[in-house]
Amino acid sequence: QVQLVESGGGLVQAGGSLRLSCAASRRAISMYSVAWFRQAPGKEQEFVTGISWTGSNTYYTDSVKGRFTISRDNAKNTVYLQMNSLKPEDTAVYYCAAKITSYGGNVYSKAAEYDYWGQGTQVTVSS
């Protein structure tokens, strides 16, 4: 019964930046890995980036490498997604998801592996 709430989305011009946040409703009672997924209208959901419980391991889809950075502050129960050099093709609803794990260093990239999902936040990048 963990609620995840995304925030920070909005409308920006191409080349701009946004910082998304994913906050849990309460302190974690287990270790969890967190990921960001996104879905554009009429498109399939895709994995964007994920981070391990420890924060030491991350994974990015090729299209965002060098532009997006995922990080976490477990003391604040919050995961962040810093998005720089945004492109129109980044336009989508962004969802955060959390997966309970017994392994603090693991990161997961499949949506079906995740236990909790937020409601999403819209990111729109104009050209």
Side-chain angles (χ1 to χ4, degrees):
Q1 296 182 340
V2 176
Q3 292 278 354
L4 302 178
V5 179
E6 302 97 334
S7 62
L11 173 64
V12 298
Q13 294 286 326
S17 297
L18 286 173
R19 189 191 193 197
L20 307 185
S21 297
C22 174
S25 58
R26 56 185 178 274
R27 295 186 70 256
I29 60 174
S30 301
M31 295 189 295
Y32 58 94
S33 177
V34 175
W36 289 93
F37 294 81
R38 66 186 180 186
Q39 187 166 20
K43 303 292 185 179
E44 296 292 322
Q45 184 184 67
E46 67 170 338
F47 171 85
V48 179
T49 180
I51 188 167
S52 63
W53 165 255
T54 62
S56 61
N57 295 319
T58 60
Y59 179 77
Y60 298 87
T61 192
D62 286 345
S63 64
V64 307
K65 287 180 180 177
R67 300 189 298 120
F68 291 12
T69 303
I70 188 170
S71 62
R72 68 189 302 164
D73 186 341
N74 289 353
K76 296 181 179 179
N77 272 16
T78 303
V79 172
Y80 305 97
L81 179 61
Q82 179 66 47
M83 305 186 294
N84 298 326
S85 302
L86 283 161
K87 303 175 180 180
E89 52 262 46
D90 295 317
T91 295
V93 177
Y94 284 69
Y95 301 89
C96 68
K99 173 181 170 54
I100 297 170
T101 180
S102 296
Y103 305 99
N106 285 12
V107 62
Y108 309 88
S109 62
K110 297 178 180 178
E113 297 177 297
Y114 285 82
D115 302 295
Y116 305 103
W117 290 80
Q119 294 298 307
T121 185
Q122 177 72 48
V123 172
T124 303
V125 185
S126 61
S127 60

